Amino acid sequence: GAVVSQHPSRVICKSGTSVKIECRSLDFQATTMFWYRQFPKQSLMLMATSNEGSKATYEQGVEKDKFLINHASLTLSTLTVTSAHPEDSSFYICSAQTYSNQPQHFGDGTRLSIL
Amino acid sequence: AQTVTQSQPEMSVQEAETVTLSCTYDTSESDYYLFWYKQPPSRQMILVIRQEAYKQQNATENRFSVNFQKAAKSFSLKISDSQLGDAAMYFCAYRSGEYNFNKFYFGSGTKLNVKP
């Protein structure tokens, strides 16, 4: 149980392209989903927290207009990197949890490469 | 803000041996949760073990156990009978049980190598 699916697993695109990443909880309802960014050989950096039906809460330093997050249902959250540039290249990981005292379950991550 | 420190960037262990990964954290809260996550080369984060701060008993999951020292704010992970499949990055994580209890704070990670 507690499977989180993230799609796509890898994206390579040109600078200026907008990229959408999906995060789905397959066998549970996720009241909260999280988006992380991970640079090579570094830890996960929380970008934003999203609760179903409400606006995402962004961490300090994360551009809201750059990283659009939508959490339209209890099983789906999307992260859209708008007008992506090479510096946006990174590994993006989502996680989901049912209730606040439960562990987060992570997706497999998306490797984004902007040329 | 809470901080999580993993002072060992990389460690190695012989297959079938035991290894301990260190983690310390800084908090003023009394109610919180601690986790160890494993990230293999496939990059998926996998929950290894969790500990509730209010529990004095150390958590155990098969070959994985923790040494939780609340006063010292230490939360080490012991892997017994190490297997080749244990090779991965291990992240220690803290989550508040009081304020903003959804947010995780991760350590910088320890890369574990398992030698055959």
Side-chain angles (χ1 to χ4, degrees):
Chain A
V3 177
V4 175
S5 173
Q6 193 171 334
H7 178 81
S9 58
R10 178 155 189 140
V11 180
I12 302 173
C13 57
K14 294 181 179 179
S15 184
T17 306
S18 290
V19 179
K20 179 184 283 188
I21 303 170
E22 292 187 348
C23 180
R24 294 180 184 271
S25 56
L26 298 186
D27 52 1
F28 66 100
Q29 292 186 326
T31 55
T32 307
M33 288 187 171
F34 306 84
W35 288 96
Y36 294 86
R37 184 173 181 177
Q38 185 179 29
F39 291 103
K41 298 184 180 181
Q42 293 189 25
S43 188
L44 282 70
M45 180 191 77
L46 180 64
M47 299 174 66
T49 303
S50 72
N51 292 296
E52 185 264 339
S54 61
K55 290 184 178 180
T57 302
Y58 289 81
E59 294 299 303
Q60 190 173 8
V62 178
E63 298 177 60
K64 300 178 182 181
D65 296 331
K66 178 73 171 177
F67 300 99
L68 300 178
I69 292 172
N70 182 278
H71 192 165
S73 75
L74 285 171
T75 59
L76 174 65
S77 176
T78 60
L79 167 67
T80 301
V81 184
T82 61
S83 187
H85 289 91
E87 59 267 27
D88 298 324
S89 298
S90 189
F91 191 69
Y92 293 88
I93 306 176
C94 74
S95 70
Q97 69 179 33
T98 51
Y99 302 106
S100 59
N101 63 347
Q102 297 300 308
Q104 293 185 18
H105 302 282
F106 288 82
D108 290 347
T110 298
R111 178 160 302 286
L112 176 61
S113 300
I114 307 299
L115 305 177
Chain B
Q2 283 70 22
T3 57
V4 180
T5 303
Q6 292 178 251
S7 58
Q8 306 151 316
E10 187 166 357
M11 293 191 72
S12 295
V13 63
Q14 206 71 35
E15 194 176 5
E17 297 292 310
T18 296
V19 65
T20 299
L21 308 183
S22 301
C23 174
T24 59
Y25 56 95
D26 184 26
T27 184
S28 58
E29 298 172 350
S30 59
D31 183 20
Y32 52 88
Y33 302 84
L34 297 166
F35 305 82
W36 278 98
Y37 279 89
K38 168 185 176 181
Q39 187 180 41
S42 64
R43 305 303 295 271
Q44 184 183 19
M45 295 285 283
I46 302 167
L47 176 65
V48 175
I49 200 166
R50 65 178 274 180
Q51 174 83 41
E52 292 87 349
Y54 62 85
K55 290 186 177 179
Q56 293 185 338
Q57 187 173 8
N58 290 324
T60 300
E61 286 289 342
N62 300 314
R63 296 183 296 107
F64 300 89
S65 62
V66 298
N67 183 4
F68 174 47
Q69 301 290 328
K70 191 171 183 179
K73 297 179 182 175
S74 171
F75 182 61
S76 60
L77 174 69
K78 185 172 83 171
I79 306 175
S80 304
D81 186 26
S82 297
Q83 300 176 0
L84 294 177
D86 295 333
M89 282 290 291
Y90 285 81
F91 292 99
C92 178
Y94 170 103
R95 188 181 73 195
S96 172
E98 299 176 11
Y99 308 108
N100 197 9
F101 42 72
N102 287 325
K103 188 172 178 178
F104 271 48
Y105 297 88
F106 285 90
S108 55
T110 297
K111 183 180 180 182
L112 179 65
N113 304 304
V114 181
K115 300 177 180 178

